[in-house]
Amino acid sequence: MANADTGTAATESGLDSAVIERASEWAGVDESDLCDALVVLHADLIGRHGRFERTYDYVTVDGTRAYRVADEAWEELLGEFEFEGAVADAARLAHTEQAKLLFASSVRGDDNFDADESGIVIGIDTAEQF
């Protein structure tokens, strides 16, 4: 069962609580640290929505936007934050897993990300407003 931090992060970021929990476990980071990072990251991603939309493949499922981005986009994005390495890895894992799930459930059903691709997800209260 998701804790309060995970539920809040899920609500604000468009990521499922289970995805956040798995990413935390896989990366070996404290779930609350990951949740804090995801909330901060999501606030920044809102302002990048237009650039991602013009540059990368995306789907919208139930109002949540998922982008398939080059790994370099994540490196650039994470370079602007001072997340610990494992927290940054967990954030990337969570976003990529959620993006794959959204691509798979979309009409296109294409969750086959290349080895040099990652996912970025922007939550329900942002993607469809633009």
Side-chain angles (χ1 to χ4, degrees), residues 5-6 9 17 28 33 35 37 39 42 47 50 54-55 63 72 75-76 82 125:
D5 287 342
T6 306
S17 294
D33 291 342
C35 290
V39 170
H42 185 259
R54 288 186 301 274
T55 307
E72 294 82 30
E75 297 304 322
E76 178 184 318
E82 294 183 11
D125 58 347

Side-chain angles (χ1 to χ4, degrees), residues 6-126:
T6 306
T8 299
T11 300
E12 292 186 24
S13 68
L15 301 170
D16 292 338
S17 294
V19 169
I20 295 170
E21 292 167 5
R22 282 192 298 272
S24 172
E25 184 177 321
W26 290 336
V29 300
D30 183 73
E31 201 170 302
S32 65
D33 291 342
L34 175 56
C35 290
D36 291 345
L38 291 172
V39 170
V40 168
L41 186 58
H42 185 259
D44 186 76
L45 289 171
I46 293 169
R48 297 172 192 246
H49 169 80
R51 187 185 98 202
F52 292 139
E53 190 172 278
R54 288 186 301 274
T55 307
Y56 298 109
D57 187 25
Y58 66 89
V59 296
T60 304
V61 177
D62 296 329
T64 300
R65 181 73 47 94
Y67 301 89
R68 182 190 331 256
V69 303
D71 284 343
E72 294 82 30
W74 259 105
E75 297 304 322
E76 178 184 318
L77 179 65
L78 290 175
E80 298 175 21
F81 296 91
E82 294 183 11
F83 300 139
E84 290 182 22
V87 172
D89 292 344
R92 186 177 188 161
L93 282 168
H95 272 266
T96 300
E97 181 184 354
Q98 188 70 56
K100 286 179 178 182
L101 291 169
L102 290 170
F103 269 87
S105 67
S106 73
V107 174
R108 293 188 293 176
D110 177 15
D111 63 339
N112 295 319
F113 283 44
D114 290 337
D116 62 347
E117 293 178 321
S118 297
I120 290 179
V121 174
I122 300 180
I124 55 176
D125 58 347
T126 60

